[in-house]
Amino acid sequence: MFLALRELAFARTRFGLMGAVVALISVLMVLLSGLSSGLVVDGVSGLQRSPLDAVAFEVGTKTDSAFTRSVVTSDQRDAWAARDDFADAELLGTAIVNAKNDDGTPVDLTLFGVEPGGFVEPATGEGRALAAEREVVLSVSAQDEGVELGDVLTIDRVGTELEVVGFTTDQRTFGHVDIGFLHLRTWQEIHSSTVPGQQATAEAYDAASVVALRGVDGRLPDLAAGDAAAGTTARTITEAYDSSPGYTAEITTMQLIQGFLYAISALVVGAFFTLWTVQRTRELAVMRAMGASTRFLLGDGLAQAAILLVVSVGVGLAVGLGLGSLLVGTGMPFALESGPITTGALLLLGLGLFGAAVATVRIARVDPVTALGENR
């Protein structure tokens, strides 16, 4: 540690510049993690925050946007409900629609048709729960769009009017659109384009998008056996995230960017310590000639890298969290979550140490004779 600390103090300008680069990478890591988490929350928080263990789709439905393409029936719901390893099985309808408020302001919504009093129906923070048809409970984030209790939203094309009677306790969005929870029967009429005042067909009142499933005591039941009995294709709720609009493309893109960021971090740190090791080859050779072991020199070099990385990543995290806190609540899909940020910081530290370790391997090849001027 003595040599490492002396060099850090002596070459503080070089190490300061390198530390600034690592700190900037850490800031970018925090912002990318926040954006990635924000996209997940904005895309599938309606699924994340619902007590669902799995959902069953129509057989053959493509994974992409399966929620809006799938059609299941009450018979399939009953087949799932008859199984002993399921506590609940309910029809759930999903549809992305355009609506207008009383003053003509456009409002984009994802309608979730739920069975009245069922486990999928969310808790209401402001206002009240659903009590009748033609009522809707919106995500609390819809208030940012100017929607208030008592407003009447008119669905485009069919002209169905929905009275806003409540807001959820937390954000519920799907496909980056606020969710409106309404009675399943009303959703079935909208989905079948039934004009208000008329009755939909019997087939329309028997259909929904998926079967929402919940296991007994939180345990995931045998989905394959249930699919065989009901004629559906079930996926766990986390697997079903891929079936929301644009989820896979967005998350894959963010993961690719983060992967390149981590690779760049390892390369930058490794390149810096490679050059630094080359520049101090003679000093290291002198220490070898004085009896310093390869293990000692390697440990000293890695300790130097660890000090630089810990300090730089720490500063970068502080700056990144400060900038990120300014972005929360601005309308940008951004969320600071400790898990992804901690994982990213550990990856930066680990990959940086790996790059430094590869660079300091050169120390093992330093010839003590070099210190005696053998090559002059």
Side-chain angles (χ1 to χ4, degrees), residues 49-97:
R49 295 166 181 173
S50 295
L52 305 177
D53 292 326
V55 288
F57 298 89
E58 178 185 10
V59 173
T61 305
K62 293 184 178 179
T63 300
D64 185 33
S65 300
F67 279 94
T68 54
R69 294 173 176 172
S70 172
V71 178
V72 296
T73 65
S74 58
D75 288 340
Q76 292 172 312
R77 183 267 321 272
D78 295 340
W80 281 101
R83 297 185 56 81
D84 295 335
D85 52 353
F86 283 91
D88 297 285
E90 297 178 3
L91 290 178
L92 172 65
T94 63
I96 299 177
V97 299

Side-chain angles (χ1 to χ4, degrees), residues 46-326:
L47 300 177
Q48 283 182 322
R49 295 166 181 173
S50 295
L52 305 177
D53 292 326
V55 288
F57 298 89
E58 178 185 10
V59 173
T61 305
K62 293 184 178 179
T63 300
D64 185 33
S65 300
F67 279 94
T68 54
R69 294 173 176 172
S70 172
V71 178
V72 296
T73 65
S74 58
D75 288 340
Q76 292 172 312
R77 183 267 321 272
D78 295 340
W80 281 101
R83 297 185 56 81
D84 295 335
D85 52 353
F86 283 91
D88 297 285
E90 297 178 3
L91 290 178
L92 172 65
T94 63
I96 299 177
V97 299
N98 298 318
K100 290 183 179 179
N101 206 342
D102 296 325
D103 57 1
T105 303
V107 179
D108 295 328
L109 289 176
T110 296
L111 298 181
F112 270 26
V114 298
E115 296 184 1
F119 78 97
V120 182
E121 186 176 353
T124 304
E126 184 179 350
R128 59 174 176 81
L130 297 172
E133 297 179 20
R134 313 287 179 175
E135 294 181 346
V136 64
V137 172
L138 298 181
S139 167
V140 68
S141 52
Q143 293 178 317
D144 298 334
E145 305 298 327
V147 182
E148 299 178 351
L149 287 176
D151 286 355
V152 176
L153 305 180
T154 304
I155 306 300
D156 287 352
R157 291 190 308 109
V158 294
T160 303
E161 295 183 346
L162 302 174
E163 180 185 359
V164 179
V165 298
F167 293 96
T168 59
T169 56
D170 50 14
Q171 180 183 357
R172 302 289 182 103
T173 50
F174 182 82
H176 305 292
V177 179
D178 293 319
I179 294 177
F181 295 88
L182 71 165
H183 279 231
L184 179 62
R185 185 177 178 86
T186 304
W187 178 90
Q188 290 166 334
E189 293 173 351
I190 295 173
H191 185 255
S192 61
S193 301
T194 302
V195 177
Q198 297 183 0
Q199 288 288 320
T201 63
E203 291 78 9
Y205 288 124
D206 188 54
S209 299
V210 297
V211 181
L213 305 169
R214 182 167 63 172
V216 177
D217 298 328
R219 295 191 300 269
L220 185 65
D222 187 351
L223 299 180
D227 282 334
T232 56
T233 300
R235 302 170 196 156
T236 64
I237 192 61
T238 52
E239 292 174 343
Y241 294 166
D242 291 340
S243 299
S244 64
Y247 178 86
T248 301
E250 293 171 351
I251 299 305
T252 301
T253 301
M254 294 304 301
Q255 290 175 342
L256 182 62
I257 294 173
Q258 288 175 312
F260 275 110
L261 178 66
Y262 298 137
I264 290 170
S265 174
L267 288 173
V268 168
V269 175
F272 173 80
F273 279 99
T274 296
L275 294 175
W276 179 246
T277 302
V278 170
Q279 291 178 356
R280 62 185 186 137
T281 298
R282 192 168 301 281
E283 289 80 1
L284 295 173
V286 171
M287 294 190 68
R288 285 292 303 274
M290 295 174 62
S293 66
T294 300
R295 180 178 179 182
F296 172 82
L297 294 178
L298 284 172
D300 192 77
L302 287 177
Q304 192 176 73
I307 293 172
L308 174 68
L309 288 169
V310 170
V311 174
S312 301
V313 171
V315 172
L317 284 178
V319 175
L321 290 173
L323 293 175
S325 63
L326 299 177

Side-chain angles (χ1 to χ4, degrees), residues 1-9 15 280 299-301 303-304 307:
M1 286 292 291
F2 176 76
L3 179 62
L5 294 175
R6 285 291 301 270
E7 288 180 336
L8 285 171
F15 282 102
R280 62 185 186 137
D300 192 77
Q304 192 176 73
I307 293 172

